[in-house]
Amino acid sequence: MKFYYLIFLFLLTACANETSPSTNVETVTDTLATNTEVLREVEENTTVSDENQVTPNPPDSIPVPSFAIHFDFSEGVQKILDSGKERLVVDIALSGLPKDVSNVAGKDYYNEEDEQIYLKSIALLYEQNETQTMHIENLNISKEALDALQNPNYMITINFYSSRTSSDNNIFSANALIEEVNSMKNKTHTIKVKML
């Protein structure tokens, strides 16, 4: 049941959020926990990493295995992205259940309401490129938070929605990508994006 609550929270965030991220200004997003990264534009080479992040990595940080997302855009989505009227937001959350709630209570990476440890939460703006692929690499998570998980094979949940620059509502439809890290690492995953 807790897993469905997490999915519900992501859908709620994607469908009900009325904020619109700016394309040139870094904006802090409050997705699920205080361990949230900044919304930032993905550079032309479409490789996402923590190298230029605003908040430095904790000294005990360890790398997240790399993976890639290939986008299959419908004609309508492609037309809107090409026009610059909308952007695609890629919302990534890494999470898992704690071994012992009493050991993580009060920690900034633990969400008591969800009863989840959030290793990382980051929202990115996808930049169009010829291959329509976004490489996710060089992200880091806290070793302390990872060690507090029941299972080190944590969940990666990725949601996709429009930047809401031309509309107050999300206008893109894409299935969420929800996999364990061992299923995601070193692979390219295809996501179909169409108009709502």
Side-chain angles (χ1 to χ4, degrees):
M1 184 67 181
K2 293 176 188 173
F3 179 73
Y4 293 113
Y5 184 72
L6 179 63
I7 292 173
F8 173 74
L9 281 175
F10 279 110
L11 290 174
L12 184 63
T13 301
C15 295
N17 189 356
E18 293 186 18
T19 62
S20 60
S22 171
T23 57
N24 294 325
V25 179
E26 293 183 344
T27 309
V28 177
T29 60
D30 186 17
T31 307
L32 291 171
T34 58
N35 196 19
T36 303
E37 294 292 328
V38 295
L39 179 66
R40 64 179 180 220
E41 199 166 333
V42 178
E43 301 297 326
E44 287 295 326
N45 65 9
T46 68
T47 300
V48 176
S49 71
D50 273 347
E51 291 171 359
N52 297 321
Q53 74 181 39
V54 174
T55 308
N57 289 323
D60 74 335
S61 67
I62 57 173
V64 173
S66 63
F67 59 94
I69 303 168
H70 172 75
F71 295 102
D72 180 7
F73 298 117
S74 72
E75 188 176 320
V77 170
Q78 188 67 58
K79 186 176 178 181
I80 287 179
L81 291 173
D82 288 343
S83 74
K85 292 180 181 176
E86 281 291 342
R87 304 287 298 279
L88 177 67
V89 177
V90 179
D91 194 348
I92 304 170
L94 314 176
S95 64
L97 296 172
K99 278 186 230 179
D100 183 1
V101 174
S102 63
N103 288 340
V104 295
K107 299 282 186 173
D108 63 345
Y109 51 78
Y110 179 66
N111 185 303
E112 290 182 25
E113 186 176 323
D114 298 343
E115 296 179 358
Q116 292 275 323
I117 291 175
Y118 290 100
L119 303 168
K120 182 165 287 283
S121 182
I122 186 170
L124 305 162
L125 288 173
Y126 169 74
E127 185 68 37
Q128 285 273 76
N129 64 78
E130 287 182 20
T131 61
Q132 295 183 331
T133 302
M134 178 185 276
H135 297 276
I136 312 296
E137 55 189 26
N138 299 324
L139 295 179
N140 291 297
I141 57 175
S142 164
K143 183 175 181 341
E144 176 188 341
L146 181 64
D147 290 343
L149 293 177
Q150 279 180 7
N151 182 355
N153 191 17
Y154 52 87
M155 295 299 295
I156 298 178
T157 305
I158 308 175
N159 285 291
F160 310 91
Y161 48 91
S162 68
S163 60
R164 296 179 178 90
T165 52
S166 67
S167 170
D168 289 339
N169 299 313
N170 177 28
I171 61 170
F172 296 154
S173 173
N175 289 332
L177 179 59
I178 303 171
E179 295 282 341
E180 292 177 331
V181 66
N182 290 341
S183 299
M184 294 278 289
K185 67 182 179 183
N186 302 320
K187 294 181 183 171
T188 299
H189 307 271
T190 300
I191 298 295
K192 293 183 178 193
V193 184
K194 56 187 176 183
M195 298 296 293
L196 276 177

